[in-house]
Structures are given as structure tokens and as C-alpha cells.
Amino acid sequence: MTTQRVRKAVLPVAGLGTRFLPATKTMPKEMLTVVDKPLIQYAVEEAFEAGIEEVIFVTGRGKVVLEDHFDHAFELEATLESRGKTDELARLRAAMPGAGQISSVRQQAPLGLGHAVWCARELIGNEPFAVMLPDDLVLTPPGQGVMKQLVDAHADVGGNVVAVMDVPRADTNKYGILDVGADDARPGGLAEVKGLVEKPAPEDAPSTLSIIGRYVLEPELFELLETQQKGAGNEIQLTDSMARRIGQSPFHGLRYEGTRYDCGSKLGFLQANVAYALARGADNDPDLGANLAAWLKQLPL
Ligand code: G1P
């Protein structure tokens, strides 16, 4: 099947980060660091790795530092240069997107994820697009990020494809949950989506297969978002509009390969820091993982 390539990604980053106060009083939660890199940079790198060419931030007031992070920092770069810190300088420059690869629109009021995505409609136009929630961080082998896995699956089956994982039944009220049709339950397998419910109570959940923050969606979704009534949490939910596309075109959940950390929670954020340090270390500190492992072992747990 021929499908249109995914070239653009929407990153909703207008949230207030209330769960991380006071850290996020003046700093966007997407600037919280896992080891030495802010969450926003992980998401942008994952998008580019998947072949995406343009990343659109849906931002809010007080979040301009997110755009600054992907621009030159002249004073810093000049100082590094004059001090001969060539490795640091090279790493900063290598992480810079090309001209025009990052744009942003404002979500003026916190009306929900569905509304945030709808705010990017003019920049997306009439083509399939990705949505990435930077709070969800997924550790995968290098070069096999979740967005790449989704884009590859979309190239095969088209339509809408969302990243999914099984969660404990007690947690279904935190996620968009699938009603599953034909299912390949192997890692990397696809589950046909028959229904979708946002944050159902455990006793009402049609399954325990939940959406994590990576999506490839069809542009037809924007028309539905425009008239979408408020749903769970009294917010305009992306899940509710997605549910209205079921039956119109192929719709699958991808059991992606990787370990997901919910960096919107303190526990998930701390786990991500430990897991990333152990698995990847740091560019300028190759011994970080081994040193951390040794220290963890001697903790009086
Ligand atoms: C959002 C979506 C939900 C999804 C979750 C993944 O919820 O609405 O469907 O399962 O992200 O992290 P939020 O975490 O913003 O409440």
C-alpha cells in the first residue's frame, strides 16, 4: 500500500507542569533534564531520527525558552570557542536543527490535548502527521526510536497508528484505552482498534492496552477536533476525535519495542534518569553508567 510520508510532528508543550512545582514555576517542564538533556530535546531528536522534517511546538505563555533551546546561544558559543572547548561546542552545534525545522503556534487557553493539536492545523495542512508528548520518554536501542517504529508501521498499513502498551487494570483511568479487534500480541505487533475510550474507570475499560504519547494521525482529524465536545476531565480530548475515525480508515495500535517512562510523574522521571544514565551514560562522561551502577549497589536499600 502506498501511504503519504510523515514529514511533520506536533509537540504539545503548553502544559503548566503543576506536578513538578516548584521546579516548574519559571521553567517549562519540558526543560527538565534526563541525565544532561532536556525532555524536549529527546523528543525533537526522536522526530528527526524518524525522518520527520518539521517539528511544531504548540506552546503557551512563559515557554519561549523551548524555542531558544534550538537556536544559537552566541555568548556561550563564543566563550566555548575562546576557551578551546571544541567538543562541547561541536555537541551543541550538532544538536541544532536546520533553518526552518522548528516552528511554533500558541495555545492561548488550556482546553485539552485535542485543542492543542487542533491549534497546529494550519501548519500541518492536508497530510499525515505525528503527535509526540515529550513527557513520555521511551528508551530504545539507538536508531530505533518509537517514532521511527510508528512511521515504519504507518508506511505499511496507513491510516492512524498509535503507540500502545499494556498497563495494570488499576491504571486505565490515566490513559486512552483501546477496544481491540484482531491482535498480534508479539512485541512490534499491531492491534486493530475497534474502539477508544479516554481514561475509563478500571471496571469499564474495554482492555488494558493503553495509548502512550506517540501518534501518526490523518489530517481528517482536524475537522473532527473543530467540533469536538469536551470529554474526560472537562477537556477537548484527542482520543474522542480519534474514536470518530474508527471504521473510516485503518486504525492500529503498535506494540512498540522499548521501555516507557512517564516523566510527567516524579517516580517515572527519577526512573528515567537512572535508566538512561545506566544504558547510555553521557557523551562527556563514558563512565557515568558504571559509576552509578556501583553506587546504587552499595545503597542501604
Ligand atoms: C494523554 C492522552 C491519553 C494518553 C496519555 C499518554 O493523557 O489524553 O489518551 O494515554 O496522554 O501519556 P495525559 O497524560 O495528558 O492526561
Side-chain angles (χ1 to χ4, degrees), residues 219-241:
E220 285 78 3
L221 202 77
F222 288 123
E223 290 153 42
L224 301 173
L225 285 170
E226 189 149 357
T227 56
Q228 185 61 53
Q229 301 296 305
K230 289 183 176 174
N234 204 29
E235 293 190 337
I236 298 171
Q237 295 291 353
L238 185 60
T239 305
D240 293 344
S241 285

Side-chain angles (χ1 to χ4, degrees), residues 19 29 113-114 133 135-136 174-177 197-199 210-215 235 237-239 242 260 262:
R19 281 193 280 178
K29 64 173 173 160
L113 178 60
L133 311 185
D135 279 359
D136 278 330
K174 296 183 192 154
Y175 299 98
I177 301 290
V197 202
E198 179 69 8
K199 303 195 170 83
S210 81
I211 303 176
I212 64 126
R214 301 289 185 277
Y215 312 71
E235 293 190 337
Q237 295 291 353
L238 185 60
T239 305
M242 281 163 33
R260 175 247 187 189
D262 173 11

Side-chain angles (χ1 to χ4, degrees), residues 33-49:
T33 52
V34 170
V35 186
D36 54 5
K37 211 189 280 184
L39 288 170
I40 190 73
Q41 191 174 335
Y42 284 97
V44 167
E45 288 178 358
E46 188 186 321
F48 290 148
E49 178 198 86

Side-chain angles (χ1 to χ4, degrees), residues 150-223:
L150 271 189
V151 164
D152 289 348
H154 174 261
D156 288 341
V157 293
N160 299 286
V161 191
V162 295
V164 294
M165 70 174 210
D166 257 313
V167 297
R169 185 159 277 275
D171 289 344
T172 58
N173 58 2
K174 296 183 192 154
Y175 299 98
I177 301 290
L178 271 57
D179 189 359
V180 181
D183 189 9
D184 174 356
R186 287 173 295 185
L190 289 171
E192 185 197 351
V193 180
K194 278 199 316 192
L196 276 177
V197 202
E198 179 69 8
K199 303 195 170 83
E203 59 276 20
D204 301 329
S207 79
T208 53
L209 207 54
S210 81
I211 303 176
I212 64 126
R214 301 289 185 277
Y215 312 71
V216 173
L217 301 173
E218 302 171 292
E220 285 78 3
L221 202 77
F222 288 123
E223 290 153 42

Side-chain angles (χ1 to χ4, degrees), residues 54-268:
E54 185 178 341
V55 172
I56 299 157
F57 295 162
V58 180
T59 91
R61 291 178 290 282
K63 294 249 174 169
V64 284
V65 68
L66 293 174
E67 289 151 77
D68 291 344
H69 185 73
F70 294 95
D71 201 345
H72 282 290
F74 274 110
E75 190 174 346
L76 173 65
E77 288 173 37
T79 307
L80 290 175
E81 191 138 34
S82 71
R83 292 186 183 166
K85 300 214 175 261
T86 45
D87 286 356
E88 287 82 351
L89 193 57
R91 268 197 293 277
L92 278 187
R93 291 193 170 148
M96 277 261 298
Q101 285 194 291
I102 305 258
S103 8
S104 72
V105 289
R106 288 285 182 113
Q107 184 188 26
Q108 292 132 323
L111 299 177
L113 178 60
H115 179 259
V117 171
W118 180 73
C119 288
R121 66 199 178 282
E122 297 296 344
L123 292 183
I124 297 290
N126 189 26
E127 57 182 279
F129 62 100
V131 174
M132 305 175 72
L133 311 185
D135 279 359
D136 278 330
L137 191 60
V138 186
L139 184 57
T140 60
Q144 294 167 45
V146 185
M147 209 56 246
K148 180 170 185 342
Q149 296 179 37
L150 271 189
V151 164
D152 289 348
H154 174 261
D156 288 341
V157 293
N160 299 286
V161 191
V162 295
V164 294
M165 70 174 210
D166 257 313
V167 297
R169 185 159 277 275
D171 289 344
T172 58
N173 58 2
K174 296 183 192 154
Y175 299 98
I177 301 290
L178 271 57
D179 189 359
V180 181
D183 189 9
D184 174 356
R186 287 173 295 185
L190 289 171
E192 185 197 351
V193 180
K194 278 199 316 192
L196 276 177
V197 202
E198 179 69 8
K199 303 195 170 83
E203 59 276 20
D204 301 329
S207 79
T208 53
L209 207 54
S210 81
I211 303 176
I212 64 126
R214 301 289 185 277
Y215 312 71
V216 173
L217 301 173
E218 302 171 292
E220 285 78 3
L221 202 77
F222 288 123
E223 290 153 42
L224 301 173
L225 285 170
E226 189 149 357
T227 56
Q228 185 61 53
Q229 301 296 305
K230 289 183 176 174
N234 204 29
E235 293 190 337
I236 298 171
Q237 295 291 353
L238 185 60
T239 305
D240 293 344
S241 285
M242 281 163 33
R244 291 159 67 198
R245 288 297 299 163
I246 296 168
Q248 312 290 312
S249 50
F251 205 137
H252 294 91
L254 171 71
R255 293 173 189 269
Y256 63 89
E257 296 180 70
T259 309
R260 175 247 187 189
Y261 296 94
D262 173 11
C263 292
S265 80
K266 290 186 183 74
L267 180 62

